[in-house]
Amino acid sequence: MISRAIIADRAVQPGSHCPDTRPAGLPTPAAEQRARQDVRERLIRRFPDLPSETLETAAAEAFAFFADARVRHYVPVLAFRRASGQLSEHFAAPGERGGEA
């Protein structure tokens, strides 16, 4: 098995370490907006039967929960997981809620 990663157009040889890819500063407002849009689109794909207003609200509440996070890089992933988990819990069919009948 060949292990190979491409980071910043540079190949990393097997056994070597990847360069630090953490962002140096805060994300720009445009990057934050793209992240919010991506989360909304992912929620739409995961929950196609729910109204878009419900998904918008869940995404907005999840991002609001992480509004004071000092590390902003992971907020979109965490917001998606939070919104997705809450939607799954609230809108799952009775048989899908882990043992409920």
Side-chain angles (χ1 to χ4, degrees):
M1 178 168 108
I2 296 175
S3 172
R4 188 170 204 127
I6 305 296
I7 297 178
D9 296 323
R10 187 175 80 153
V12 176
Q13 297 301 316
S16 67
H17 293 281
C18 297
D20 190 354
T21 59
R22 290 177 290 183
L26 291 174
T28 64
E32 290 256 354
Q33 189 61 29
R34 284 192 308 272
R36 289 174 181 271
Q37 183 61 34
D38 179 60
V39 167
R40 287 191 294 266
E41 289 171 2
R42 290 175 63 198
L43 288 172
I44 289 168
R45 285 192 303 272
R46 181 152 185 192
F47 301 98
D49 296 334
L50 294 181
S52 61
E53 296 82 20
T54 301
L55 301 176
E56 291 281 339
T57 301
E61 289 174 356
F63 273 98
F65 182 82
F66 295 105
D68 295 331
R70 292 185 337 175
V71 178
R72 306 294 307 161
H73 186 68
Y74 302 105
V75 167
V77 172
L78 297 172
F80 173 77
R81 290 188 64 163
R82 181 176 180 81
S84 180
Q86 289 180 339
L87 290 168
S88 292
E89 182 178 302
H90 191 263
F91 291 103
E96 296 175 5
R97 290 187 182 173
E100 289 184 24

